[in-house]
Every structure is written in C-alpha cells, then in structure tokens.
C-alpha cells in the first residue's frame, strides 16, 4: 500500500471483475504482509500466532475472514493439508499449478504438470463433464526431512 494511504481505502476484487470492493484495513495489510514473508503454507491458527507474536491486534475470526477473502480474490492459494486443515500461501506462479508438500516440515514446491492437465481434460470429456476444475497435491517428505529420517533424527 502506498505511503499515506488510509486504512479504510478499498481495492477492487479481481474475482468479481472489480465490482466488489474490499476494505483495506490495517489487519488485512498485516495478514498480507505476513503471508509475503512466508515460504510455505500456513494454517489460519499458525498465521494468527505469528501476528500475535509481532504485536498485531487481530482476532482469530478476522484472520479467517481475511484469508478466505484473499483466497476468493485469487491472491493466495488454499488447499487442505494431510489433516484436512485449510492452509494458505502466496504463490509465485499465477497460473494453474500444483504443489509437492512435505508432510513433516510443510515445505512446498510449486509444479506445473501438463500430463495431469491432459489426463483431467480427457477423463472429464470421456464422461461428458464440462467446466471442469481440479486440484492435485502430492504429499511426501522433502529431501531435508528424508535425510533427517535416514539419520534417525526425525
């Protein structure tokens, strides 16, 4: 946000073609800034703890609403981790992509998977489905956690 911008300013929502405007509050800016600093997916409760540790005054309910709003606007990726909990991340790739996720440390790697796209389109067409969307997330152990496991420290 530019220097001098007011906390109650609004920004058009890309998801609604600019029709719906979102208030840009200090809490929304704080959540957005915290996401910018993180490399891996984070749950709402983890992000809430980070914000509290930074001295940011935001309720857990507000953090949930802001993250959902950012996801609805396409400004963050959201997926379900191995426990089924929603986790969020600001991704570098703006187009459709998938993730490799470490079950242990949460490290995420963005991947494009043209073979998955081809398979999904073909499978949908074979069954007469249109306007198809999909998500593919691959869970495993990252190289660092694999090495720690082999060394017996995981």
């Amino acid at each position: 946000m530019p220097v001098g911008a007011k906390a109650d300013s609004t920004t058009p929502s890309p998801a609604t073609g600019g029709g719906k405007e979102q208030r840009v509050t200090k809490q929304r800016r704080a959540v957005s800034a915290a996401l910018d600093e993180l490399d891996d997916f984070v749950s709402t409760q983890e992000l809430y703890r980070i914000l509290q540790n930074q001295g940011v005054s935001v309720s857990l309910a507000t953090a949930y609403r802001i993250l959902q709003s950012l996801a609805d606007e396409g400004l963050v990726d959201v997926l379900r981790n191995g426990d089924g909990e929603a986790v969020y991340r600001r991704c570098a790739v703006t187009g459709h992509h998938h993730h490799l996720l470490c079950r242990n440390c949460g490290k995420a790697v963005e991947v494009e998977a043209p073979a998955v796209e081809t398979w999904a389109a073909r499978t949908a067409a074979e069954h007469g489905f249109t306007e198809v969307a999909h998500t593919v997330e691959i869970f495993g152990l990252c190289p660092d956690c694999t090495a720690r496991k082999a060394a017996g420290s995981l």
Side-chain angles (χ1 to χ4, degrees):
M1 173 169 288
V3 173
K6 295 182 181 177
D8 63 350
S9 63
T10 58
T11 57
S13 168
T16 58
K20 183 179 179 192
E21 294 192 357
Q22 295 293 321
R23 285 189 58 192
V24 181
T25 62
K26 67 178 182 175
Q27 291 89 354
R28 184 177 168 96
R29 285 193 311 272
V31 166
S32 188
L35 288 170
D36 289 343
E37 297 298 318
L38 298 170
D39 291 326
D40 297 324
F41 282 89
V42 64
S43 71
T44 306
Q45 291 191 10
E46 290 168 323
L47 185 63
Y48 172 76
R49 281 190 290 276
I50 290 168
L51 292 168
Q52 294 299 300
N53 290 339
Q54 293 175 349
V56 175
S57 177
V58 60
S59 72
L60 183 58
T62 298
Y64 273 105
R65 281 193 300 277
I66 291 169
L67 285 169
Q68 186 58 57
S69 173
L70 291 171
D72 290 346
E73 295 169 31
L75 299 174
V76 296
D77 277 356
V78 59
L79 55 94
R80 299 279 173 187
N81 65 15
D83 297 327
E85 181 180 28
V87 290
Y88 303 85
R89 178 178 178 212
R90 179 116 43 216
C91 287
V93 177
T94 56
H96 181 73
H97 61 281
H98 306 283
H99 300 95
L100 293 168
L101 298 160
C102 181
R103 284 189 307 263
N104 184 59
C105 71
K107 178 179 180 172
V109 176
E110 297 170 352
V111 294
E112 293 184 24
V116 170
E117 308 310 319
T118 302
W119 171 83
R122 186 182 69 243
T123 301
E126 287 172 1
H127 295 278
F129 280 66
T130 62
E131 299 184 34
V132 175
H134 68 273
T135 59
V136 175
E137 312 305 338
I138 303 168
F139 295 89
L141 292 179
C142 71
D144 292 339
C145 289
T146 298
R148 284 198 297 275
K149 184 175 182 180
S153 61
L154 179 65

